[in-house]
Amino acid sequence: MSVKPFSLPSYAKLNLFLHVTGRRPDGFHELVTLFERIDLHDDITFSPAPVGEIIISCDDGRVPCDERNLVYKAAALLLKGENVAHGARIHITKRIPVAAGLAGGSSNAATAIMGLDRLWGLGLSSVRRLTYARKIGSDVAFFLYDTPLALGTGRGDRIKPLTSQARLWHVLVVPRAPVLTKDVYGLFGKTASCLTKPDADVTMMLRSLKQKDFAGVGRLLLNDLEVPILALKPHLARLKARLVRQSPAGVSFSGSGPTVFAVTASEAEALRIKDIFSRTYRQVFAVRTF
Ligand code: ATP
């Protein structure tokens, strides 16, 4: 029996806290990070295709639709790993800016694992889904958990969902300065002066989230990748300073950048700041924890 086409949302994330604690023997960095799912999302439509065929399309011409697409990678892994006689046609409607530190590709891959599980009737266990996610990339695992906030350790792929009910408002400014994650991490070792941000800070951040204390969250924002991001794109320091002037509660980069985001006190404040930055930047969003 053929399953009817269906669509699933694929959300973006911010890193409220990203502390690099060391380098692993496998070359990856060891992280302590706080993921926040936000309501900015792509939509992915799944429909059947002839056996063995994976056909990807996307409304954003900058996204590759061949084997470089993380959705393709997920589909190819599942086809082989589950040894099934299926195919899939997958269309991505993009809203999440690409190569912006918002993990759009990783989120799409996680949505693909869940969508293909349903399309192909695989009945994958959560452990099996996680195994596929980790093969695709470090950020994929978070999106398999239906949680707005989570602590990530290891490569960022060991996920502990948080019970906090905190829902934050943000403004995101996405400058036209795509940054490759591998370049940022490549520079990290050369630019970082120390790896000693105390663990106490993440504990305090978790407490602020539990208490729904947005000002505390803003004060404790941290991203150890800021130094290499600014070494690659020095002009982003001006953007960050400008956002700090508008939103003193707290401003940080997400992931490997270049997205700069602020924690705001309310939706009204997020919309006010969005309005100001929209005059000079094309991609500005007011978003909320989702
Ligand atoms: P990372 O997860 O590496 O931090 P990012 O959030 O900065 O990535 P993405 O939007 O995931 O950025 O894009 C990173 C790269 O992945 C881009 O160069 C893009 O061409 C490629 N890519 C592969 N598949 C996708 C996809 N489904 N959506 C967006 N980009 C994709």
Side-chain angles (χ1 to χ4, degrees):
M1 194 184 68
S2 176
V3 178
K4 284 201 189 117
F6 61 91
S7 284
L8 296 177
S10 179
Y11 294 94
K13 61 85 179 153
L14 295 177
N15 299 88
L16 296 172
F17 192 93
L18 196 164
H19 175 36
V20 182
T21 56
R23 189 143 191 182
R24 301 152 48 109
D26 61 9
F28 285 100
H29 287 83
E30 195 76 30
L31 308 179
V32 175
T33 188
L34 263 169
F35 289 110
E36 178 191 7
R37 186 172 64 181
I38 53 173
D39 57 4
L40 174 64
H41 66 91
D42 298 337
D43 285 307
I44 308 190
T45 306
F46 299 85
S47 42
V51 173
E53 284 194 32
I54 301 165
I55 306 152
I56 313 275
S57 56
C58 181
D59 65 347
D60 184 332
R62 289 164 303 176
V63 176
C65 288
D66 53 17
E67 50 287 316
R68 287 170 296 169
N69 196 299
L70 298 187
V71 168
Y72 187 100
K73 280 194 185 157
L77 274 175
L78 258 63
L79 261 192
K80 192 157 177 254
E82 299 303 310
N83 196 20
V84 286
H86 291 296
R89 190 179 294 278
I90 305 172
H91 181 73
I92 307 166
T93 304
K94 265 277 154 206
R95 286 188 210 92
I96 305 171
V98 177
L102 300 170
S106 301
S107 171
N108 289 177
T111 305
I113 293 172
M114 296 185 279
L116 292 171
D117 190 3
R118 174 166 151 193
L119 185 75
W120 293 342
L122 301 174
L124 296 177
S125 67
S126 47
V127 173
R128 199 134 176 91
R129 285 179 175 196
L130 206 51
T131 306
Y132 285 119
R134 289 186 168 132
K135 284 187 182 156
I136 302 166
S138 307
D139 277 350
V140 182
F142 166 65
F143 297 102
L144 290 180
Y145 292 78
D146 187 10
T147 183
L149 294 157
L151 184 68
T153 53
R155 289 158 47 196
D157 61 343
R158 280 177 25 212
I159 303 296
K160 186 173 172 231
L162 304 185
T163 51
S164 165
Q165 299 295 313
R167 299 293 176 264
L168 305 164
W169 276 99
H170 305 285
V171 184
L172 318 186
V173 183
V174 187
R176 255 197 298 192
V179 181
L180 290 180
T181 307
K182 68 173 172 45
D183 293 345
V184 173
Y185 277 103
L187 254 188
F188 178 79
K190 294 176 194 135
T191 53
S193 49
C194 69
L195 297 168
T196 56
K197 192 73 188 172
D199 288 345
D201 280 7
V202 78
T203 311
M204 277 156 61
M205 173 71 100
L206 291 171
R207 193 175 306 138
S208 298
L209 283 169
K210 199 168 181 182
Q211 294 168 348
K212 303 186 190 174
D213 169 15
F214 86 89
V217 172
R219 251 193 329 273
L220 292 163
L221 292 176
L222 174 92
N223 188 336
D224 278 353
L225 299 178
E226 176 163 335
V227 174
I229 292 169
L230 290 177
L232 286 167
K233 309 275 177 188
H235 65 282
L236 296 181
R238 275 202 308 278
L239 167 60
K240 188 182 170 200
R242 218 183 126 198
L243 195 51
V244 169
R245 283 198 295 279
Q246 289 297 333
S247 182
V251 173
S252 189
F253 287 94
S254 184
S256 52
T259 296
V260 189
F261 70 94
V263 173
T264 62
S266 62
E267 178 179 17
E269 190 188 6
L271 292 172
R272 178 185 65 77
I273 301 170
K274 178 185 170 200
D275 193 44
I276 293 168
F277 280 83
S278 296
R279 293 174 207 150
T280 22
Y281 291 88
R282 208 168 49 85
Q283 292 187 293
V284 186
F285 305 87
V287 302
R288 197 176 191 209
T289 318
F290 182 84

